[in-house]
Amino acid sequence: MSVEGKHVIITGGGSGVGAELAKRFSAAGAKVTILGRRQEPLDNVAVPLGALALTADVTDRGSLDDALNNARAHNGPIDIAIANAGAAPSAPFSKVSTKDFRASLAVNLEGVFHLWQAALSDMKNAKWGRMIAVASTAGLKGYPYVAPYCAAKHGVVGLTRALAQELGRSGITVNAICPGFIETPLLERSIGEIIEKTGLNDAEARKSLIAGNPQKRFIQTSEVAGSALWLCSDSAASVNGHTLSLSGGEV
Ligand code: NAP
């Protein structure tokens, strides 16, 4: 089994990991739909691939349902749902407001719940499906100054494990990919915040982030996309409820 002809939905497909997922799944012959809040970055990724680009906010179930119905009308039932949209602003715990905390849970955790629940009926009907979350090593261990993000990503790991149990006999697998720091626009924003808040220079800020990785390097988007493709292959049919650490052995 390959992903050829399968309909894959990728949230946060306009940049970083999501854009690479779109390229790799498209190259493998999948029908690709990417979602995000801004049309322009989505179009920049989708147009060269012949993919479908739809605006939706994963924190808003109604907006997501509308986009998925639109996607079904173009590309048919959803076979693969990759919950990749996320955000990781940093702040000391004492300065995190309730609003900030809820906002992080909304995009990083509720967004996964919304996508997977909205796509479930198609996969149940097909008796086959792949639910994948781009979680983080922050779902497996703690990091300072990103408590809401860590809480949300740990929640994604819990959701993944629970759903894998519940759907075990359905032909659907549910897994989380947990990368360390990946070279994307999100990382560049994090580095900017470190420079601004600590006075470190660019090189020192980058070094501080890879300090915990035994390979002393950032993860590449291609490594995340390759893992997602593998999770969709027959070779991974019995991989269910797994958290795949892509971190050079950090966790
Ligand atoms: P990115 O380039 O900032 O991409 C995040 C994407 O999510 C953007 O395209 C953004 O598009 C979309 N998005 C954000 N909020 C959204 C919302 N409410 N509804 C719909 N789309 C939304 O960051 P990235 O590094 O590729 O991140 C992808 C995933 O990898 C995230 O879940 C992140 O937590 C995870 N991750 C990243 C790293 C890292 O170091 N970069 C490490 C581990 C895990 P719009 O702004 O247009 O909506």
Side-chain angles (χ1 to χ4, degrees):
M1 215 292 296
S2 77
V3 298
E4 192 163 1
K6 299 281 187 196
H7 182 188
V8 56
I9 296 261
I10 302 163
T11 64
S15 63
V17 174
E20 182 68 16
L21 285 164
K23 285 178 199 152
R24 291 287 298 275
F25 274 78
S26 182
K31 293 181 281 185
V32 175
T33 301
I34 57 174
L35 307 181
R37 291 167 303 177
R38 294 165 300 145
Q39 189 71 49
E40 195 183 340
L42 292 171
D43 285 342
N44 290 341
V45 174
V47 170
L49 302 177
L52 181 64
L54 299 173
T55 54
D57 186 333
V58 297
T59 68
D60 175 350
R61 180 61 189 266
S63 150
L64 192 66
D65 282 344
D66 288 348
L68 260 57
N69 285 333
N70 199 345
R72 287 184 182 101
H74 282 81
N75 285 333
I78 296 150
D79 300 295
I80 301 164
I82 306 184
N84 165 75
S90 62
F93 180 68
S94 59
K95 295 200 172 146
V96 175
S97 68
T98 302
K99 192 173 165 221
D100 297 336
F101 191 78
R102 286 182 178 156
S104 185
L105 292 187
V107 62
N108 293 304
L109 177 56
E110 273 183 42
V112 182
F113 161 67
H114 286 157
L115 178 73
W116 285 355
Q117 195 178 63
L120 178 61
S121 59
D122 289 358
M123 298 185 197
K124 276 191 166 168
N125 288 340
K127 298 187 170 46
W128 190 93
R130 293 287 179 268
M131 297 193 184
I132 298 171
V134 180
S136 170
T137 46
L140 302 173
K141 61 173 273 193
Y143 291 91
Y145 307 115
V146 283
Y149 182 73
C150 280
K153 293 292 190 181
H154 274 70
V156 172
V157 167
L159 181 66
T160 301
R161 289 177 172 151
L163 198 52
Q165 295 289 321
E166 191 170 323
L167 299 179
R169 293 166 63 88
S170 66
I172 303 166
T173 65
V174 190
N175 291 289
I177 299 173
C178 297
F181 294 104
I182 318 163
E183 283 186 306
T184 70
L186 183 149
L187 181 78
E188 294 307 317
R189 288 193 296 275
S190 298
I191 288 168
E193 285 180 10
I194 292 170
I195 292 169
E196 187 190 317
K197 287 172 187 166
T198 65
L200 293 179
N201 65 32
D202 186 79
E204 289 165 340
R206 285 173 199 276
K207 208 172 161 191
S208 74
L209 291 183
I210 54 171
N213 178 332
Q215 295 179 336
K216 303 297 175 212
R217 66 173 180 89
F218 290 119
I219 312 304
Q220 301 302 304
T221 57
S222 57
E223 297 175 274
V224 184
S227 300
L229 276 166
W230 172 70
L231 285 171
C232 294
S233 73
D234 276 349
S235 308
S238 63
V239 178
N240 192 25
H242 190 65
T243 54
L244 182 59
S245 169
L246 302 182
S247 66
E250 179 180 355
V251 59

